[in-house]
Amino acid sequence: MAIQIKSANEIDKMRTSGIALRQVHNAVKAAVRVGATTMDLERAAVAKIEELGAISAFKGYHGYPAVLCTSVNNEVIHGIPHDRGALKSGDIVSVDCGVIIDGYYSDAAVTHAVGEISPAVAKLLRVTEASLYAAIDKAVVGGRLGDISNAVQVMCEREGYGIVREFVGHGIGRNMHEDPQVPNFGPAGKGPRLKAGMVLAIEPMINIGTADVKVLEDGWTAVTTDGSISAHFEHTVAITKDGPVILTR
Ligand code: MF3
Ligand code: CO
C-alpha cells in the first residue's frame, strides 16, 4: 500500500483524537505511584476514555485484552495490565495507549518513573525521549524516512543502548497501522520521500543492554532477553508544509 496523504481536514480530526489521547495519558500519569498496580492505570484510562466518548484503539485489536499496554522495567512493549503486584520505587512503567475519535486514530507512549529511579535508568528515559524529539525534527517535507530512523539510531547508539528492531513505528490514520513502517535504525538519506499530509507514529524502544527481545507465553509481552531495562516513547506526528506537528502533545 502506498503511503496515504491526509487532507488538512483529516489532520484536524487526528488532532482531536490526539488531544483526547493526551488527556488519557494525563489521567494515567496522575495514577502512577508506588503501590499502584498496572491494572489501576488501566482503570484510570478506561474511565477517561469513556468520559471523553472515545474508543480504545487497542482493546480487541488481534484479541488484545486492555486499553493500555503497561510494560515494567525489562518489559519492552505490550505488557498486559494486571493486579498481581504493585509498582515499587525505582521501577519504570511504559504506558502505551491509542484511541479512535470520529474514525481517526492516535497512538502515543510514555515511560514513567515510579518513586526514585537510578541515575542510569533516568538517563535511559532522557535519551530515549530526546531521540524521539530528534526524530520528529526530521519529519519535514523533502526529507527521507531514513532521516527519522537514523536520528533515533545515532542518539541511542552513542550511549551504547540496544535499539529494538523487531518492533517499529508506523503510518496512522483511519487505521492504527498504515504504511510505511518506521524503524528506529537505518541510513539517513534513504527511503521514501516525506510529503505534507503524511502522518507517522514514531516510537523508539530502547534497551540499556542488548537489542534482543522475546515475547512471553502470554503471546503479547515483549521483554529484553538479557533482562535489561527498556524505555518507550511515542508520538503521532503530522508532516506539514510548516514542519512537524505533534498531534499527541
Ligand atoms: N501502540 C502499539 C503500536 O504502536 C500497538 C499496541 S498493540 C495492541 O503498534 F494490541 F495493544 F493494540
Ligand atoms: Co504505535
Side-chain angles (χ1 to χ4, degrees):
M1 265 272 283
I3 303 173
Q4 289 181 41
I5 301 298
K6 276 88 182 174
S7 67
N9 183 253
E10 288 183 288
I11 289 177
D12 273 346
K13 289 186 175 193
M14 295 190 73
R15 185 183 282 109
T16 301
S17 181
I19 289 169
L21 179 55
R22 183 50 47 195
Q23 291 176 262
V24 177
H25 270 291
N26 289 343
V28 172
K29 179 177 180 166
V32 172
R33 64 176 67 91
V34 174
T37 67
T38 51
M39 190 57 85
D40 292 331
L41 308 186
E42 168 78 7
R43 280 187 280 263
V46 166
K48 184 56 78 173
I49 289 170
E50 189 177 303
E51 178 191 323
L52 293 165
I55 298 170
S56 168
F58 290 10
K59 193 161 187 166
Y61 180 82
H62 293 279
Y64 187 73
V67 305
L68 296 184
C69 298
T70 51
S71 308
V72 178
N73 296 339
N74 61 309
E75 297 172 352
V76 178
I77 53 168
H78 299 168
I80 301 171
H82 62 81
D83 258 330
R84 293 188 304 276
L87 297 167
K88 348 178 261 312
S89 185
D91 285 347
I92 60 171
V93 57
S94 299
V95 176
D96 193 352
C97 190
V99 299
I100 315 164
I101 291 194
D102 200 11
Y104 285 86
Y105 284 71
S106 54
D107 187 6
V110 57
T111 302
H112 298 289
V114 182
E116 292 294 313
I117 59 172
S118 74
V121 174
K123 181 177 166 190
L124 173 73
L125 299 195
R126 272 199 315 275
V127 172
T128 304
E129 187 170 25
S131 78
L132 169 59
Y133 285 101
I136 291 170
D137 281 344
K138 301 291 184 184
V140 294
V141 173
R144 301 270 195 172
L145 190 65
D147 303 347
I148 293 173
S149 303
N150 188 255
V152 174
Q153 180 173 16
V154 166
M155 190 168 283
C156 295
E157 278 186 348
R158 192 165 60 208
E159 305 299 339
Y161 294 148
I163 297 165
V164 174
R165 287 168 184 264
E166 284 89 341
F167 300 98
V168 296
H170 47 96
I172 179 168
R174 296 186 70 86
N175 302 96
M176 182 154 62
H177 296 132
E178 298 182 354
D179 278 345
Q181 296 203 139
V182 184
N184 294 303
F185 57 92
K190 303 279 189 202
R193 223 174 249 297
L194 301 176
K195 297 189 180 131
M198 291 179 177
V199 183
L200 304 176
I202 304 174
E203 46 178 322
M205 290 152 266
I206 306 297
N207 308 339
I208 287 186
T210 67
D212 298 340
V213 301
K214 64 178 181 199
V215 175
L216 298 183
E217 318 274 65
D218 65 16
W220 284 103
T221 315
V223 300
T224 58
T225 50
D226 65 2
S228 70
I229 303 293
S230 185
H232 180 207
F233 287 85
E234 175 180 28
H235 273 306
T236 297
V237 180
I239 298 172
T240 77
K241 62 175 176 24
D242 303 320
V245 176
I246 300 175
L247 300 176
T248 45
R249 179 94 89 179

